[in-house]
Amino acid sequence: MSMSAGWYLRRLSRMGPREAGGRAVDAVRRRRWRSALPERPPVTGVRFTAVLPEDALAGVDPDAVRRLVAEADRLMAGRAEFFGVVREDMADPDWQFDPKTGRRAPLDHAFDVPYRDEEAVGDIKQIWEPSRHQYLTVLAAAYALTGNDRYAERVAAHLRSWWEADPPLRGAHWVSGIELGIRLLSWVWIRRLLDGWAGAPALFEENPVALDQIWHHQRWLAAFPSRGSSANNHAVAEAAGQLAASCAFGWFPYSPRWRADALRDLDRHLRANTFLSGINRELASEYHGLVLELGLAALAEADAAGVAVPATTRLVLLRMTDALAAVVDNRLRPPRQGDADDGHGLVLDGPDTDRWGSLLATGEAVFGRLGWWPEVPGCDVRTPLLASLIEPYGEGVARPERRPAHFADAGLTVLRGPGEIWCRCDGGPHGFLSIAAHAHADALSVEVRHDGVDVLADPGTYCYHGRPEWRSYFRSTLGHNTLEAGGRDQSVSGGPFLWTRHAATRVLEVDADGEKAARWCAEHDGYRPLLHRRQVDLAYESREVRVVDTVSGDRREVRLAFHLGPDVLAELEGSRARLTWTRDGENRSAVLGLPAGLTWRAHRGESGPPLGWYSPGFGRKVPSTTLVGSGSVDGTAEFTTVLGFDG
């Protein structure tokens, strides 16, 4: 997807003068960097001292070790999966190859690589993901926990291969700061986990090629930080990687300055990216997880190095952890809100380990659990290792005495009912910063789950680059459980990561603690002068979710959409749908009573245009049922939908 001149103008319009000036400086610096690659300053007698405490490995549960080793053995056989694409070539990977399109990214100067253009480069996410080297942290962890040299030898071979294939400033892996930051974090943990292996010093601190790579990564991050309207999770990843490397690999003359700058930037960006309530400001649940992982990993490096960390850094991470504990459903699944690209900050476990349970387990080890937190079943490798490096925190800090249901600053409300009914209501800002890069046009949307099963589902994200019609659909208003008016989105898109007008939403009422029911009500102005207001009532005794949409204003065609989860089957008769699904071998059911004033149709797996899809993870989509009611309003109209659960 090449960016047009119009896109650049729209993008420029979302920048302030300071950001535009900073980007102009970046452009001049890029031109200067083309002329010659500076030599790394010489270092002598360096040692790696950022090792794990002696008893850390002994604290890993044997079941977590077993699952880790099973994944490591799959990787040793050359098999890995990235965004739904299975690769059988990971015993000796081609670092520029995209297996999905069959294309190879060019090894041009990094500033010339058109990474958004799938025709020229391939799917850049498929190319970038293996080079985050998080599968190598899994292999390194397998070595640390088993002492089997073959895992360490494979890690060493792949690092040497990557360093040779991707010299500084050449190719797609030197384009984006988030990739460099996460890769540095992986290298720190690889070196730490390989510390017992005799070949580790020769691979890292005694290897001029490795020293060059580490130094150039840090030099790049210091020179080209994400700025202004782009200072979202990318900025956190850049600061976290820089801080980790400057603490663990603090071997260079610039290391003290890089460390001080990264520590300041990490604190600043964590605070800027997080509401006071602890919810991530991008209002994209998976990025909440990514930022929390990155922050905890960076904190571990600072604590391990004895570097004083601002109190606000720990406080933000504590609040994020408590917020995560508050919003997950009974199966520890967070909302499916906003963009999701399956990004992780630090991976030390196989894919069978629950990400959110692992994060809450780490939070419990570092901050201490509160009485209202959900129980976290199972175990993982990352928690005991990461927590062994972090100073405990939480004593004397004010924390919620009860499980919060409404996060006013984020406009996120979770209503809970009997039978593990979970309902997330969206009444928050459109997104973060002027471009709201990872936002969806989902104002007033709802998600409803029953015992962790998506009944009224947020369809997800699916893709970023290369498929504009699918990117548009999955973040559109029609692609969410809300109302579309006039055939357009509530907010105006200016590109795949750019919104030029943001709908403003206002929460009018929240009562999550009623004796017989819970209520939420909000409105937005995305269709001015038409106003859309929605009220959601969750009745405990009848086990019903009642959604009342009120539309007032000029004449418009409207469409009201309800997206069902992929496990839910629907029989639609007129304005009534019978829903059935299976959970843990038991048949479950519900009835969805739809507004009779609209004409209802069921859509499933349609492609022209896209409708009736659910994305279980980045790069993957499966057919699901979407119920769409169409009609027109003139003046004021009210539409009532009732979801009643059986049993």
Side-chain angles (χ1 to χ4, degrees):
M1 184 188 304
S2 298
M3 298 295 105
S4 66
W7 177 87
Y8 283 104
L9 289 173
R10 291 191 296 273
R11 184 66 183 84
L12 183 62
S13 72
R14 308 305 293 175
M15 300 181 193
R18 184 174 180 180
E19 179 183 355
R23 290 179 181 271
V25 170
D26 288 347
V28 172
R29 183 176 289 123
R30 285 191 176 92
R31 191 175 302 118
R32 191 166 65 243
W33 278 35
R34 288 176 180 276
S35 59
L37 193 68
E39 290 188 6
R40 167 182 53 82
V43 295
T44 57
V46 297
R47 295 173 54 245
F48 182 79
T49 59
V51 297
L52 287 169
E54 283 188 13
D55 59 347
L57 293 171
V60 180
D61 188 277
D63 187 58
V65 176
R66 178 188 57 78
R67 286 184 280 110
L68 170 71
V69 170
E71 174 62 13
D73 287 343
R74 283 190 289 269
L75 293 170
M76 290 295 292
R79 183 182 178 86
E81 182 176 332
F82 301 104
F83 307 132
V85 176
V86 175
R87 293 186 64 160
E88 305 282 358
D89 62 341
M90 290 303 292
D92 184 20
D94 179 342
W95 302 106
Q96 321 304 328
F97 179 64
D98 165 28
K100 192 164 76 173
T101 65
R103 299 186 177 95
R104 295 185 77 255
L107 268 176
D108 299 338
H109 195 285
F111 302 150
D112 295 330
V113 176
Y115 67 94
R116 295 187 182 96
D117 187 347
E118 191 169 292
E119 292 296 319
V121 175
D123 185 332
I124 194 61
K125 293 284 286 181
Q126 287 288 340
I127 294 168
W128 276 344
E129 192 67 17
S131 290
R132 288 185 172 187
H133 291 167
Q134 293 175 327
Y135 77 97
L136 293 182
T137 56
V138 170
L139 289 174
Y143 163 76
L145 288 161
T146 67
N148 191 326
D149 284 356
R150 69 189 186 103
Y151 299 124
E153 291 163 358
R154 175 62 61 83
V155 172
H158 280 207
L159 285 179
R160 293 184 190 277
S161 167
W162 194 92
W163 290 333
E164 180 180 0
D166 297 279
L169 293 183
R170 307 300 300 184
H173 298 304
W174 291 87
V175 171
S176 175
I178 188 174
E179 303 305 313
L180 277 73
I182 291 177
R183 192 156 51 240
L184 278 176
L185 190 57
S186 295
W187 291 353
V188 168
W189 273 88
I190 288 169
R191 176 60 185 88
R192 173 176 289 128
L193 293 164
L194 294 186
D195 193 60
W197 181 53
L203 178 63
F204 278 93
E205 58 265 29
E206 297 172 5
N207 182 0
V209 176
L211 293 173
D212 284 349
Q213 286 276 353
I214 294 168
W215 185 78
H216 279 288
H217 271 67
Q218 294 187 264
R219 176 177 178 262
W220 195 108
L221 290 174
F224 301 110
S226 291
R227 298 180 182 275
S229 56
S230 294
N232 52 14
N233 64 87
H234 285 235
V236 175
E238 293 159 10
Q242 185 77 304
L243 179 59
S246 58
C247 287
F249 301 146
W251 304 324
F252 310 106
Y254 287 112
S255 292
R257 189 179 80 185
W258 287 338
R259 182 165 53 246
D261 290 348
L263 188 65
R264 180 200 64 225
D265 290 345
L266 179 69
D267 181 67
R268 177 166 60 93
H269 290 305
L270 281 175
R271 286 186 286 111
N273 275 257
T274 311
F275 288 109
L276 289 177
S277 64
I279 298 292
N280 180 264
R281 284 185 182 269
E282 293 197 76
L283 295 171
S285 303
E286 286 221 1
Y287 285 106
H288 183 110
L290 173 64
V291 168
L292 181 54
E293 288 175 355
L294 290 166
L296 289 169
L299 177 62
E301 299 307 327
D303 281 355
V307 175
V309 176
T312 45
T313 298
R314 297 183 196 273
L315 183 59
V316 169
L317 296 174
L318 168 65
R319 287 173 173 167
M320 291 185 73
T321 305
D322 281 341
L324 176 62
V327 300
V328 294
D329 65 21
N330 67 302
R331 301 281 179 144
L332 301 186
R333 295 179 59 220
R336 283 169 55 88
Q337 183 177 16
D339 271 349
D341 71 349
D342 299 354
H344 291 259
L346 175 65
V347 179
L348 300 180
D349 291 272
D352 293 338
T353 297
D354 179 68
R355 175 186 194 173
W356 307 103
S358 172
L359 262 175
L360 290 176
T362 303
E364 179 175 346
V366 174
F367 303 122
R369 77 184 309 276
L370 297 173
W372 54 261
W373 273 32
E375 293 293 333
V376 178
C379 55
D380 66 321
V381 172
R382 186 179 62 187
T383 288
L385 300 189
L386 192 59
S388 74
L389 300 173
I390 301 177
E391 296 293 330
Y393 176 77
E395 292 294 329
V397 179
R399 300 173 68 183
E401 295 181 359
R402 302 173 56 196
R403 186 175 201 163
H406 176 57
F407 297 83
D409 48 9
L412 189 156
T413 305
V414 176
L415 308 179
R416 298 175 189 271
E420 307 299 350
I421 299 172
W422 177 97
C423 176
R424 190 264 300 178
C425 305
D426 182 356
H430 176 62
F432 181 47
L433 301 174
S434 62
I435 63 173
H438 292 297
H440 290 187
D442 57 356
L444 308 193
S445 66
V446 296
E447 276 185 273
V448 180
R449 298 177 191 161
H450 184 276
D451 195 15
V453 173
D454 292 310
V455 179
L456 300 183
D458 185 302
T461 298
Y462 178 50
C463 65
Y464 281 168
H465 302 289
R467 298 167 182 79
E469 73 282 9
W470 291 99
R471 174 65 172 152
S472 295
Y473 167 69
F474 274 96
R475 65 182 197 146
S476 69
T477 297
L478 184 63
H480 294 83
N481 297 318
T482 188
L483 183 139
E484 176 201 79
R488 63 180 178 84
D489 291 336
Q490 309 150 339
S491 296
V492 178
S493 172
F497 297 97
L498 172 64
W499 296 91
T500 56
R501 190 179 69 78
H502 304 178
T505 306
R506 184 165 64 109
V507 175
L508 304 174
E509 180 183 2
V510 175
D511 181 7
D513 301 315
E515 292 186 6
K516 297 183 178 181
R519 171 172 290 181
W520 170 89
C521 182
E523 63 186 18
H524 77 84
D525 68 352
Y527 301 127
R528 286 176 295 187
L530 182 145
L531 183 71
H532 176 207
R533 177 176 295 178
R534 168 170 280 186
Q535 180 171 305
V536 177
D537 290 284
L538 172 55
Y540 304 148
E541 185 174 344
S542 61
R543 296 161 52 84
E544 287 184 347
V545 178
R546 180 179 295 266
V547 180
V548 179
D549 291 291
T550 304
V551 183
S552 56
D554 58 0
R555 180 178 178 82
R556 300 278 184 99
E557 297 297 315
V558 298
R559 289 192 289 181
L560 181 61
F562 291 105
H563 301 263
L564 308 182
D567 297 328
V568 177
L569 301 177
E571 296 180 7
L572 177 64
E573 294 184 3
S575 59
R576 183 178 183 274
R578 181 73 177 174
L579 312 182
T580 57
W581 67 95
T582 302
R583 180 57 149 171
D584 297 334
E586 294 185 9
N587 295 328
R588 311 284 179 90
S589 60
V591 173
L592 185 62
L594 300 161
L598 300 173
T599 301
W600 289 92
R601 288 187 56 197
H603 303 264
R604 186 175 181 87
E606 299 173 10
S607 298
L611 189 58
W613 295 92
Y614 177 97
S615 175
F618 193 80
R620 292 170 287 158
K621 67 181 190 302
V622 296
S624 62
T625 300
T626 297
L627 305 175
V628 178
S630 303
S632 62
V633 297
D634 189 4
T636 299
E638 185 175 284
F639 304 107
T640 300
T641 304
V642 180
L643 173 63
F645 292 96
D646 298 335

